[in-house]
Amino acid sequence: EKRVLSYAVDPEAIAGVGGPTISLTAGAALKIGDAVYISAASSVNKSVTAADAGKFAGIVVGGGGSFGRNYGLFGVESVGLALVPSAKVAEVQVAGIAYVVAGDAVLVGETVGFDTTTAGRVLTNTTSKQIIGIALTAAAAAGDKLKILLQPK
């Protein structure tokens, strides 16, 4: 199966949101901005399980119901929308700056990892769990959108 490398970019973002993406199969229905992990061969899913965080793949930016477009064409308003049905192609951003949804308050400069309560969201990394990036903007509460620099460790 052929996988295509593309590039997600938000033309309206002053800070240059975007980065390289890969096409993978959604293991379940996914939302734009979901943090996902490799769940099977060429497949991604979201999880609250700490062990899955070690298999971090990237951030969902499009695919499936978005007709192959990424949030750069829809704008930040699409973050959190369910646009990738199960078993359809998900465009997953693997580097750069991405929009995500917070599971709780996050401060600028804090490292973030998988939310352990709501799959697909991110939380401040207060333990030794997998780091997926650094917050470039703040989130005041659960459900807020923020920008992160993808730096999985």
Side-chain angles (χ1 to χ4, degrees), residues 88-136:
K88 298 294 182 184
V89 172
E91 291 299 320
V92 179
Q93 186 174 334
V94 296
I97 298 172
Y99 291 112
V100 294
V101 178
D104 204 347
V106 176
L107 299 175
V108 172
E110 291 184 320
T111 58
V112 295
F114 279 1
D115 185 339
T116 54
T117 304
T118 305
R121 293 186 176 187
V122 302
L123 286 176
T124 299
N125 188 10
T126 57
T127 65
S128 60
K129 60 186 168 186
Q130 172 80 26
I131 294 170
I132 64 172
I134 299 170
L136 297 177

Side-chain angles (χ1 to χ4, degrees), residues 75-94:
V76 68
E77 296 79 21
S78 66
V79 176
L81 297 179
L83 288 181
V84 186
S86 180
K88 298 294 182 184
V89 172
E91 291 299 320
V92 179
Q93 186 174 334
V94 296

Side-chain angles (χ1 to χ4, degrees), residues 62-70 73 91:
S66 67
F67 307 104
R69 296 184 178 99
N70 60 55
L73 298 173
E91 291 299 320

Side-chain angles (χ1 to χ4, degrees), residues 9-18 76 97 99 136-137 147:
V9 66
D10 182 351
E12 298 173 3
I14 296 170
V17 172
V76 68
I97 298 172
Y99 291 112
L136 297 177
T137 59
K147 288 192 285 188

